[in-house]
Amino acid sequence: MNINRGPLLLFAGQSNRPLAEEICKYLGIPLGKSETVKFTNDNLIVQYTESLREGDVFIVQSFSTPVSDAIMELLLMIDAAKSASAGRVTAVIPYYSYARSDKKDAPRISIAGRLVADLLQAAGADRILTMTLHSPQVHGFFKVPVDHLSSDVVIADHLRQNVPDAENGVVLAPDSGSIKRASAIARRLNCGLAFIDKQRLTDTQVEPRALIGDVKGKRVYIVDDEISTAGSLVEAVGFAKRMGALEVYVAVSHGVYTGPAIERIAALDAVEVASTNTVFVSDDKVQGSGGKLRVLSVAELFANAISNIHTGESVSTLFE
């Protein structure tokens, strides 16, 4: 099916412009022109410097540090696009950090994942395109269509191409919540699957209790949705090595790398730590990791999804 829409236009906020530029290369279009200015009182102003009238507008913005500025800039860009008579506005959010806040698990707190969804829709977003939500149920917070991409194919292809005899390895889920993702990658690699069973000691402390599966003498691929401070990663890698893993490779969708993450990764007993470019990873972080950080591109996957959305074709076929 090919829907007759206005011209495809892609713009970028300030959080991950390199990814937006790479997406444009795959689409064969220039990155749209816009300006964002921060005043001395920290207020932001956004202005498009080209016509958006009846255009099919896509705005790329990851919710990475500083997260509040990234969200506010995206809201302003959506609102400005609607005011400029854009035909349709799709918010492309490669990393939706508030997906972690998906439930009321403590008294008197906000379900921020839903609140941010409400704000995006109130600003005028007609559609959302995102990748690997920490909690898939966040998808249900939106009343507009949501296309939820998976980085599984990119991670599996990377492991297959860079690990000797990858099919003889074992995908290891660092906790029970990661089993579904780990299982999907294991199927793509046609390799083994294991997971770490954990027990909660206190409200803030969790420790490994048992390993379900066999990793002894094998290459192990620890997969998860994101790395923040890398504390849980250090624990998972150490446990895998104590259980006899030959080598450990780490691959996640979102490399947030905050606080002591880079120092911890540099000291990690792992061959490499790979993440996609849903979050911009600076050269300083790559160098500071002692050469262990790898950045995998999801630009082609996003470009194909944007193209299919623009033409009215299925996005799910990209993962078949």
Side-chain angles (χ1 to χ4, degrees):
M1 180 171 62
N2 196 308
I3 296 176
N4 184 22
R5 294 194 183 278
L8 172 59
L9 303 172
L10 191 140
F11 296 87
Q14 299 178 100
S15 68
N16 203 342
R17 193 177 180 90
L19 174 59
E21 292 172 341
E22 192 177 349
I23 291 172
C24 283
K25 289 180 181 178
Y26 280 107
L27 290 171
I29 61 174
L31 183 63
K33 298 175 183 177
S34 66
E35 295 178 353
T36 299
V37 176
K38 177 180 279 193
F39 292 114
T40 55
N41 64 356
D42 270 358
N43 284 7
L44 296 175
I45 184 171
V46 170
Q47 182 179 22
Y48 293 98
T49 55
E50 63 180 273
S51 175
L52 279 64
R53 186 169 295 275
E54 299 305 321
D56 194 10
V57 174
F58 292 79
I59 304 170
V60 179
Q61 182 82 313
S62 289
F63 291 170
S64 52
T65 306
V67 177
S68 295
D69 279 3
I71 293 173
M72 191 65 196
E73 184 184 26
L74 178 57
L75 294 173
L76 292 171
M77 293 184 77
I78 293 169
D79 182 66
K82 298 297 284 190
S83 297
S85 299
R88 181 177 66 174
V89 177
T90 300
V92 182
I93 310 172
Y95 174 53
Y96 190 94
S97 59
Y98 275 106
R100 284 185 170 274
S101 180
D102 65 317
K103 57 188 176 294
K104 193 168 183 178
D105 53 2
R108 299 173 295 280
I109 64 169
S110 169
I111 303 176
R114 186 189 62 194
L115 174 61
V116 174
D118 290 343
L119 290 171
L120 291 166
Q121 291 163 123
D126 298 298
R127 194 178 195 100
I128 305 295
L129 174 61
T130 189
M131 173 169 276
T132 313
L133 293 170
H134 175 75
S135 299
Q137 58 265 34
V138 172
H139 190 142
F141 291 166
F142 292 91
K143 295 181 178 67
V144 297
V146 177
D147 289 296
H148 185 193
L149 304 182
S150 170
S151 61
D152 291 353
V153 62
V154 174
I155 289 173
D157 285 348
H158 169 74
L159 293 172
R160 187 182 298 108
Q161 294 167 14
N162 291 275
V163 180
D165 301 319
E167 66 278 5
N168 294 323
V170 176
V171 176
L172 176 62
D175 52 52
S176 58
S178 302
I179 293 175
K180 186 174 181 180
R181 181 177 301 110
S183 178
I185 293 175
R187 286 195 300 272
R188 288 184 178 276
L189 292 173
N190 193 29
C191 69
L193 176 66
F195 79 92
I196 299 172
D197 180 40
K198 295 182 177 180
Q199 62 178 346
R200 181 167 293 279
L201 303 179
T202 67
D203 286 345
T204 58
Q205 187 178 6
V206 178
E207 73 171 12
R209 181 172 61 179
L211 175 69
I212 313 302
D214 180 23
V215 301
K216 188 173 183 180
K218 298 180 181 180
R219 292 185 174 91
V220 171
Y221 321 126
I222 296 177
V223 299
D224 209 347
D225 63 318
E226 71 176 73
I227 296 173
S228 183
T229 62
S232 297
L233 176 63
V234 170
E235 178 186 89
V237 171
F239 189 68
K241 295 296 286 189
R242 291 195 300 274
M243 293 296 103
L246 176 65
E247 291 179 330
V248 176
Y249 294 77
V250 180
V252 301
S253 297
H254 312 298
V256 185
Y257 305 135
T258 60
I262 298 303
E263 291 79 7
R264 286 172 171 173
I265 289 170
L268 201 62
D269 188 10
V271 177
E272 69 172 27
V273 176
S275 63
T276 76
N277 56 347
T278 56
V279 176
F280 175 70
V281 180
S282 68
D283 290 339
D284 288 343
K285 287 184 176 181
V286 173
Q287 293 167 7
S289 71
K292 288 185 179 177
L293 281 189
R294 293 285 300 273
V295 180
L296 316 179
S297 179
V298 289
E300 185 175 11
L301 186 55
F302 270 97
N304 290 337
I306 289 170
S307 178
N308 283 16
I309 291 169
H310 177 62
T311 58
E313 297 177 57
S314 172
V315 172
S316 62
T317 57
L318 300 175
F319 305 102
E320 292 176 353

